[in-house]
Amino acid sequence: MKWPSLSFLNGIYSIILLFLGFIFPETPYFLLMTDTPEKTEMTLRKFRSVHYDVEAEMDTLLEFKADNRLRRLCLKEQLQLLFSKSACKPFWTIVTYIIISQLVGVNLVLMWTIEMLDESKSSINPDVSNITLGFARLIVGVGTSFLMLKVGRRFLALVSSLGVFGAFLIFGIFIIYNTQPSVMPFIFFLAYIAFSTIGYYPLPMLLIFELSPLQIRGIVGGLGIATLNGTTFAVNAIYLPVRSVIGFANVILAFSILSLLGSLYVYFYLPETKDLTLQEIEEFYNERRPTLTSQRRIRSMQALSRQLGSAESRSLMRIKSKSFAR
């Protein structure tokens, strides 16, 4: 397709999003700060199933609002909160992860796939490979969406970073010694796309809104996306000059080493937020909660422990009864 046709298609997509914006309900957390509890509950029901206990969640939200004195802030108050510890710590945690994700080439590889396949002597048609890799990214992305329901964020981030490290380490060495066209470059790119889509690609946007304080979530999210776009531009701007100086193979090896450093950062600094409510995360960074631990999980474990204890007691009683009978 020609560029004007692609532009028209993209414009139609944007118009559809515009109209959907009028249909979607406002977020309950925004209404919690700006409107009545009744309006918040009414909107919350649109996001929950029929059998969900909305009243219990509303009680939790109202308690959270009272404990943290949530309200709509003026610009001066937003700026003060933006530079507070509760906002700066999660912001720089996730911004560092965003920068690492771009330095390992997450968006760069997508934009330069055809040229990189040619440079690495791929025997498969680069255009066909590019489309195939796009479909692979789509499939892995959908699979990752389901994985996030079962697996922690840190685990996905570690698998992603270590997978990218291994795939591009071997790929870089392969480029140095390979002299003939081969299918292997496509295989390495496929592995890179799969591993990066598990963690590096989806997690930064997810985490920046999970970790941000509610009252300035829009500002922090905007700054995070600006950092992502700025870093993407910078990496693309320096790619060709750096490649001409150190060579394509060393660029790939640099991505690998940076991904290894990224895995160390994930292990030591990236928090686990799975199964945590947004309130629990914010209270942790406000120092109202000592650890990032899901209270729901604790209650489930306590209930399970009580059930096991009751079952064990009944077993002991049956054993004692049999002993007396004898």
Side-chain angles (χ1 to χ4, degrees), residues 148-166:
M148 285 183 181
L149 301 175
K150 302 292 183 182
V151 182
R153 280 69 160 129
R154 278 169 52 85
F155 178 79
L156 291 175
L158 282 170
V159 169
S160 179
S161 56
L162 291 174
V164 167
F165 162 68

Side-chain angles (χ1 to χ4, degrees), residues 94-260:
I94 195 60
V95 160
T96 304
Y97 186 60
I98 288 174
I99 294 173
I100 290 171
S101 71
Q102 295 308 306
L103 290 179
V104 302
V106 169
N107 284 307
L108 181 77
V109 169
L110 295 176
M111 297 177 184
W112 292 85
T113 301
I114 292 177
E115 291 80 357
M116 288 182 170
L117 286 167
D118 281 333
E119 188 80 20
S120 57
K121 298 184 176 64
S122 173
S123 61
I124 302 178
N125 181 282
D127 292 310
V128 174
S129 299
N130 193 27
I131 294 172
T132 305
L133 291 172
F135 276 110
R137 179 172 164 235
L138 174 64
I139 293 168
V140 176
V142 172
T144 301
S145 299
F146 288 101
L147 274 177
M148 285 183 181
L149 301 175
K150 302 292 183 182
V151 182
R153 280 69 160 129
R154 278 169 52 85
F155 178 79
L156 291 175
L158 282 170
V159 169
S160 179
S161 56
L162 291 174
V164 167
F165 162 68
F168 264 17
L169 176 66
I170 301 172
F171 185 32
I173 297 171
F174 173 84
I175 294 171
I176 294 172
Y177 294 102
N178 180 52
T179 57
Q180 300 295 327
S182 169
V183 72
M184 290 307 298
F186 172 76
I187 301 298
F188 287 123
F189 271 105
L190 187 63
Y192 175 89
I193 291 295
F195 281 117
S196 63
T197 305
I198 288 174
Y200 276 134
Y201 199 81
L203 288 180
M205 287 299 95
L206 172 68
L207 290 173
I208 196 163
F209 291 105
E210 284 189 342
L211 299 182
S212 304
L214 175 61
Q215 291 171 298
I216 54 169
R217 187 164 293 154
I219 296 176
V220 174
L223 290 172
I225 294 172
T227 303
L228 172 65
N229 292 331
T231 311
T232 301
F233 169 77
V235 170
N236 275 275
I238 67 173
Y239 168 64
L240 288 178
V242 170
R243 191 184 71 178
S244 64
V245 173
I246 67 176
F248 179 64
N250 288 325
V251 169
I252 297 299
L253 290 173
F255 288 157
S256 174
I257 294 169
L258 287 168
S259 188
L260 178 62

